[in-house]
Amino acid sequence: MPPAELAQVVVGRPRHLDEHLTVARVLPVAARRALGPFVFLDHMGPTELAPGDGFDVRPHPHIGLSTVTALFAGEIMHRDSLGVAQVIRPGELNVMVAGRGVVHSERATPAVRERGGPLHGLQLWMALPKSEEECAPSFEHRGADELPVWEEDGARAHLLLGGYGARRSPVQIAGGPTLIDVVLADGASFASPAELAEHGVYVACGEVELAGEVHPVGHLLIAAPGASLTVRARGAARIAVVGGDALDGPRHLDWNFVSSSTERLAAARADWQARRFPTVPGDEVEFVPYP
């Protein structure tokens, strides 16, 4: 029998984004459409890019959500239709609010394309509250030194979004999300915050033990309501605590679009097919067609 504090285990499934980049698609799945405000979770890599390879996620649109990129290794060049051009590196945080509509691309930086190198991290989507689904798009980048970091008993925690005890991330975003990146030494433990309405612990590196059961990379351990999950590393490990406030109603996903309204999804699809979304300065030529 699984421990009472564990409600569900979701296992990531491989997906190919381009010829050089494979991800584990963790959310959504049929048995779990959302976790707090998070409706999408991809685990990128880990992979080692050869010199000259790079990767290219061409310009594509979003509505009704916020994207979050957090890297463990490597770097990504983000460009969007707001005119932002931002390199993200390990320990930093990119949050892009799509609102009524934005377009962005994610590509290897020129340096990585030339010399090769690692790529490893998480990309997540958060559904915006209904009252914010049509807000103006925006972008926020935070450096590693702007986000709370603490160490305790072999665990090094990095608070990207939300709170943990008295600590708070400086990033203010609708939907009440929490995201914590935790690196664990062999035998070290970490307890997730029980006060979150919904949350889980994702195993990003190594293995962890929960109530005598071992969980490897790719497992998302979803906590029962009101419960905390205390995981212990078996060897060096890395986890991400993901969750927050429950959604204010169901959300529909169509490709890269998220909305509480299927009619709004249809309108966004038609707008992308008719090329009515804005273009990305510096990356105007290529685009991802609607599938």
Side-chain angles (χ1 to χ4, degrees), residues 198-210:
E198 297 179 2
H199 81 279
V201 172
Y202 179 70
V203 185
C205 295
E207 294 180 332
V208 301
E209 183 178 316
L210 173 66

Side-chain angles (χ1 to χ4, degrees), residues 33 55 58 164 247:
R33 308 305 298 178
F55 63 90
R58 295 168 294 160
Y164 189 88
L247 289 173

Side-chain angles (χ1 to χ4, degrees), residues 49 53-56 75-77 106-113:
L49 299 166
D53 279 352
F55 63 90
D56 294 283
E75 56 187 40
I76 293 175
M77 183 72 210
E106 295 154 302
R107 300 182 185 268
T109 61
V112 167
R113 202 176 296 275

Side-chain angles (χ1 to χ4, degrees), residues 71 86-94 141-150 156-160 170 181 238:
L71 288 184
Q86 176 67 57
V87 176
I88 180 170
R89 297 181 174 89
E92 301 175 346
L93 181 69
N94 271 10
H141 175 85
R142 293 284 181 165
D145 59 351
E146 299 179 79
L147 300 163
V149 177
W150 69 99
R156 184 179 189 274
H158 197 180
L159 180 59
L160 304 177
D181 170 27
R238 190 169 200 153

Side-chain angles (χ1 to χ4, degrees), residues 66-126:
S66 297
T67 66
V68 178
T69 304
L71 288 184
F72 305 145
E75 56 187 40
I76 293 175
M77 183 72 210
H78 164 99
R79 296 183 187 272
D80 63 41
S81 53
L82 300 171
V84 174
Q86 176 67 57
V87 176
I88 180 170
R89 297 181 174 89
E92 301 175 346
L93 181 69
N94 271 10
V95 178
M96 183 182 71
V97 178
R100 59 177 174 258
V102 75
V103 180
H104 74 138
S105 64
E106 295 154 302
R107 300 182 185 268
T109 61
V112 167
R113 202 176 296 275
E114 178 181 353
R115 70 174 185 263
L119 183 65
H120 190 201
L122 301 179
Q123 288 200 313
L124 308 100
W125 299 352
M126 297 174 290

Side-chain angles (χ1 to χ4, degrees), residues 24 31 43 53 68-69 100 105 127 133 136-137 152 163 166 179 187 190 200-202 214 218 220 224 269:
H43 180 190
D53 279 352
V68 178
T69 304
R100 59 177 174 258
S105 64
E133 284 185 307
E152 185 175 351
L179 179 60
F190 188 82
V201 172
Y202 179 70
V214 176
L220 173 62
R269 180 172 64 247

